[in-house]
Amino acid sequence: FLALGVYITFRLLDIADLTVDGSFATGGAVCAVCVLNNIHPLLAILVAILAGFLAGAITGILHTKCKIPAILAGILTQIGLYSINLRIMSGRANLPLIAANTLFSDLSTALNINKYYITLIVALIFVIIFIALLYWFFGTETGSSIRATGNNEQMARSLGINTNTMKLIGLMISNGLVGLSGGLYALYGQATDVRVGHRVTVLKGTEIGENSIIGTGAIVIALASIVIGEVVISGKKSGFALRLASIVIGSIIYRIIVALVLQMGLNTDDLKLLTAILVGIALTIPIMLSKRKQVATYKKLTKEIDENA
């Protein structure tokens, strides 16, 4: 959901939105506080989505109404969210959820199934539901207007589309998905932290262990998932449903790569470097293949011209 959220701004709106590093933590913080106050996990997830909507709306207003560049508006919101997240968590840098009843633990107990299998089932259900919703929404008039705004803003404006409103809606949906991701991750990891990518020490039974909240910045992981999915599964010209599915698969491939590299002994401090290299390679491969195809086409045409002459 983190990758899907970033995809909406990065690919559909053509905006570099850095709000996600803050809204991810906000989703986790809001969800954790709700669960600790005995609110049902599903309702807590909904509140996390609404918190993400609000974060996206702030960035959208700064960008569209205050005319602040999108990347700077995202940075300002991200910085502000750090203090807001601390307020939400009552000044604490992290919150353990070991004693709380989370969605995964509740289902695991009720169905007597291992937590990891429950995680896969819940994640699959959520992914199917939200990809279906996104596919439907971006096929509506409003969704098509958002896509048109990202493709050619001036043309969209000439057709009577309020591009500022479309950007605002797109940013809200994007960060709503990111907030959902943060909430689910907090419930799964049974802890949340105000700093994205920071490790939280939590109790596991009678032992104390470290649960890595995410490992690197949220925006970096999302971009890596997007470009890997596009390179391995689909291209920019593929159908919209396939592109949405490829992002999910790309995020899974990314985590598998990270897990394999960590198993080989890579220091966790080098994860950002690894991710940067993966993104660089994934972005370079399509360009190299395109150039190679152009050269081959040029040589073929030249050969045909020579033969005809």
Side-chain angles (χ1 to χ4, degrees):
F1 297 110
L2 172 67
L4 286 170
V6 173
Y7 175 78
I8 292 174
T9 52
F10 183 62
R11 288 296 190 218
L12 299 187
L13 281 176
D14 196 23
I15 291 176
D17 180 29
L18 297 183
T19 311
V20 296
D21 274 345
S23 58
F24 181 88
T26 301
V30 169
C31 192
V33 170
C34 287
V35 170
L36 288 174
N37 283 278
N38 298 318
I39 295 176
H40 194 278
L42 288 177
L43 184 57
I45 291 172
L46 178 60
V47 176
I49 295 174
L50 295 177
F53 279 155
L54 184 58
I58 294 171
T59 300
I61 291 171
L62 289 175
H63 176 50
T64 60
K65 303 299 181 182
C66 302
K67 304 303 178 184
I68 298 174
I71 190 168
L72 181 56
I75 292 173
L76 291 175
T77 306
Q78 177 195 136
I79 293 172
L81 284 174
Y82 182 86
S83 297
I84 293 174
N85 294 339
L86 281 174
R87 293 270 184 180
I88 293 172
M89 296 165 66
S90 302
R92 299 177 61 181
N94 55 69
L95 286 177
L97 303 178
I98 299 301
N101 292 322
T102 64
L103 178 66
F104 303 102
S105 61
D106 289 349
L107 290 174
S108 179
T109 302
L111 301 177
N112 194 26
I113 300 176
N114 187 287
K115 177 185 173 182
Y116 298 106
Y117 293 114
I118 288 293
T119 301
L120 291 174
I121 295 171
V122 171
L124 183 61
I125 293 172
F126 270 77
V127 164
I128 292 173
I129 291 173
F130 277 87
I131 283 184
L133 287 173
L134 289 173
Y135 183 76
W136 167 80
F137 174 77
F138 283 104
T140 63
E141 184 177 349
T142 302
S144 298
S145 298
I146 293 174
R147 296 168 69 178
T149 299
N151 284 332
N152 192 326
E153 184 176 348
Q154 292 180 342
M155 179 63 73
R157 196 180 294 116
S158 69
L159 294 173
I161 297 173
N162 189 329
T163 55
N164 285 337
T165 300
M166 295 305 107
K167 289 180 181 179
L168 179 61
I169 294 173
L171 286 165
M172 290 177 66
I173 295 173
S174 170
N175 284 280
L177 288 170
V178 175
L180 166 65
S181 177
L184 286 173
Y185 214 101
L187 293 179
Y188 169 71
Q190 293 185 292
T192 189
D193 193 279
V194 73
R195 294 158 291 184
V196 177
H198 204 73
R199 290 179 178 178
V200 181
T201 302
V202 296
L203 293 174
K204 295 183 179 179
T206 56
E207 299 179 359
I208 295 180
E210 285 188 341
N211 174 42
S212 177
I213 288 298
I214 200 153
T216 57
I219 185 68
V220 180
I221 287 180
L223 290 175
S225 302
I226 291 170
V227 295
I228 290 173
E230 288 178 344
V231 170
V232 176
I233 307 299
S234 70
K236 296 180 182 179
K237 297 182 180 180
S238 300
F240 190 62
L242 179 59
R243 279 186 284 167
L244 291 176
S246 70
I247 294 165
V248 176
I249 296 172
S251 65
I252 295 172
I253 293 173
Y254 168 78
R255 298 308 300 183
I256 290 174
I257 293 172
V258 170
L260 291 175
V261 173
L262 289 177
Q263 287 290 330
M264 294 168 62
L266 178 73
N267 192 316
T268 53
D269 294 335
D270 296 328
L271 277 179
K272 285 188 177 182
L273 175 61
L274 171 65
T275 304
I277 293 173
L278 287 175
V279 173
I281 292 173
L283 289 172
T284 303
I285 289 175
I287 296 174
M288 298 298 292
L289 292 176
S290 177
K291 286 184 177 180
R292 190 173 179 180
K293 186 177 180 181
Q294 289 177 358
V295 171
T297 303
Y298 175 76
K299 288 181 178 179
K300 183 179 179 180
L301 290 173
T302 303
K303 184 179 179 180
E304 290 179 355
I305 292 172
D306 292 339
E307 290 176 351
N308 291 332

